[in-house]
Amino acid sequence: MLLNFSMKTMVIISLFLLVSGTAYPQQSQSEKIKSQDFEDFKVDGYLHEMGLKCRWREIKSSVAPLVKTQDNQYDSHGTAFFISSDGYFVTTAHGLEDCRRGHDSKAEYTKQLSCADLPHGVKYQAFFNGKPHNFSIISHNTTVAMNHSGSASQHLASPDVVIGKMDLEPGEQTKPLKLSAPSGQLDLKSQAEWVPIYPAQKVFILGYPGRGIDVHTSSQRQGLKVISSYITHEDSQHRGYYIGSREDVGGQYLSNLRRYNQSDIDLGIRIVGGASGGPALDENCNVVGMTVAGNTDRENATLLSSEKILYMFFSRSSKGNEVTDIAVEPNSAVWYLKAGENKGSDLTVSSVK
């Protein structure tokens, strides 16, 4: 009886203190920052165990979900990664299909397209720092017409990539990831020729899989994920890469991996909707490529190479005056965004020093 009374009394006291705000005081801003720092530190440890030499806080500032809504209701989303500190990003063209469709163009590379306030109540926004941001497509190739169930070779041949720019608030900055500069000319139109890679190259795929964003509270139903896997094949023209499962690569490939002590590595990957457009990083956090397709049944994925992205949209010929910095490795190169419909307003892009 005494025990029951004491327990009831404790519950009543706890409820009183909770209502009065003294039982569980709210965290101060500094306490929240310290708590976040601790969480970031724990994730840094997990990334280190995976073999990725990045800090979680920097990764979070390098990637953002791009959310499509219709009549203020969530419809779908993809992933983008930043290539400059002032909001320039790379993502898939198929993820912004309705934005591109809303602006008909006969030019191979379009002028700037706003993805906000499109017909039929459609709107795209990027979620960054916990808040929605409008953005525009800066350049894209209008020939993209990709069936999402296409083969790896079809995905490689399709220019399924756009360059965009997010509208930043005063004082905001994005953390750029570094693209690898092509060492020579790339033949973007030749037929794909997949060549096995030995040893298989470990990569880390970033993205926002799952149901995406609650557009009313700006909260992420499923946050940024990092998945490790191995590139098993590359295109002979360095336009893209293939992540194959054990079912895909076959016995001969698996046998050859034994020479490199890789016979027991986990091959294959499950790319879930929403992760398209996410970057694939090497262990030093440089962008190897971008996720454009995945087959969850066979656990494989196709990546466009960062070399193809640069070669498609940039050149070493200057035609404009507007300058922004993008992250390119090696950083001695200077690249210029290819022309849009207005030939006199090419975007001049220089690499970050």
Side-chain angles (χ1 to χ4, degrees):
M1 189 70 166
L2 180 61
L3 179 62
N4 290 337
F5 175 81
S6 299
M7 290 181 64
K8 290 178 182 178
T9 303
M10 290 174 64
V11 170
I12 293 172
I13 293 172
S14 297
L15 289 172
F16 172 79
L17 293 175
L18 182 60
V19 172
S20 65
T22 57
Y24 304 103
Q26 292 184 348
Q27 285 183 309
S28 67
Q29 187 63 29
S30 61
E31 287 174 328
K32 288 181 180 179
I33 293 173
K34 290 179 182 178
S35 174
Q36 187 61 53
D37 286 344
F38 180 69
E39 290 299 318
D40 290 345
F41 179 77
K42 288 197 300 184
V43 178
D44 285 343
Y46 300 146
L47 296 180
H48 182 74
E49 290 180 6
M50 292 172 66
L52 183 59
K53 301 172 184 177
C54 298
R55 300 194 64 180
W56 181 238
R57 177 173 291 183
E58 294 178 348
I59 288 179
K60 289 191 296 183
S61 299
S62 301
V63 186
L66 305 182
V67 180
K68 175 189 173 186
T69 59
Q70 186 162 13
D71 297 328
N72 294 319
Q73 298 296 318
Y74 172 83
D75 182 90
S76 60
H77 77 281
T79 302
F81 63 94
F82 296 106
I83 57 173
S84 77
S85 59
D86 54 352
Y88 284 85
F89 64 79
V90 177
T91 190
T92 61
H94 75 253
L96 301 179
E97 186 173 354
D98 281 348
C99 179
R100 296 186 305 111
R101 183 184 292 125
H103 302 274
D104 293 331
S105 172
K106 296 180 180 179
E108 183 180 13
Y109 289 94
T110 68
K111 62 183 179 181
Q112 183 169 325
L113 310 176
S114 172
C115 292
D117 301 322
L118 297 168
H120 310 296
V122 174
K123 185 174 187 175
Y124 289 89
Q125 289 182 304
F127 278 72
F128 182 72
N129 285 340
K131 295 176 290 185
H133 293 63
N134 291 335
F135 65 85
S136 299
I137 293 175
I138 299 299
S139 185
H140 83 281
N141 188 297
T142 59
T143 62
V144 178
M146 174 48 59
N147 184 328
H148 294 194
S149 62
S151 68
S153 297
Q154 288 174 316
H155 281 288
L156 190 65
S158 172
D160 189 5
V161 56
V162 302
I163 307 296
K165 188 177 188 299
M166 183 176 70
D167 298 340
L168 296 177
E169 296 181 358
E172 278 190 321
Q173 281 193 327
T174 50
K175 177 68 176 177
L177 293 170
K178 285 189 175 182
L179 293 166
S180 298
S183 56
Q185 297 292 311
L186 275 70
D187 182 356
L188 300 182
K189 297 183 179 180
S190 65
Q191 187 173 355
E193 181 182 353
W194 294 106
V195 180
I197 296 177
Y198 300 109
Q201 180 183 351
K202 191 170 187 178
V203 289
F204 304 87
I205 310 293
L206 278 59
Y208 287 86
R211 294 190 61 211
I213 303 295
D214 187 326
V215 296
H216 301 293
T217 64
S218 299
S219 63
Q220 298 167 7
R221 293 194 178 104
Q222 187 166 351
L224 178 62
K225 302 296 182 184
V226 182
I227 308 171
S228 64
S229 190
Y230 289 85
I231 291 174
T232 57
H233 294 74
E234 66 176 347
D235 173 57
S236 59
Q237 291 290 325
H238 306 290
R239 294 168 298 177
Y241 305 98
Y242 184 73
I243 297 175
S245 64
R246 290 182 174 269
E247 179 183 2
D248 285 326
V249 299
Q252 185 61 52
Y253 184 89
L254 297 175
S255 177
N256 290 340
L257 286 183
R258 295 193 185 98
R259 304 176 188 176
Y260 303 93
N261 297 318
Q262 288 189 317
S263 56
D264 296 328
I265 62 174
D266 292 328
L267 296 179
I269 192 170
R270 290 181 62 84
I271 299 294
V272 182
S276 290
L281 307 180
D282 63 17
E283 62 178 8
N284 295 313
C285 308
N286 296 319
V287 178
V288 173
M290 178 186 71
T291 305
V292 291
N295 185 324
T296 55
D297 293 333
R298 295 181 64 88
E299 297 191 354
N300 57 36
T302 307
L303 312 175
L304 292 186
S305 70
S306 60
E307 289 94 337
K308 176 173 180 175
I309 294 169
L310 270 175
Y311 194 71
M312 272 187 61
F313 286 99
F314 298 87
S315 72
R316 292 190 172 103
S317 301
S318 173
K319 294 181 180 179
N321 298 315
E322 185 182 352
V323 178
T324 187
D325 287 331
I326 69 166
V328 179
E329 184 64 37
N331 60 16
S332 59
V334 178
W335 294 82
Y336 305 96
L337 197 63
K338 290 182 179 179
E341 289 180 334
N342 184 350
K343 300 294 184 180
S345 62
D346 296 5
L347 177 68
T348 303
V349 183
S350 61
S351 61
V352 172
K353 305 302 181 198

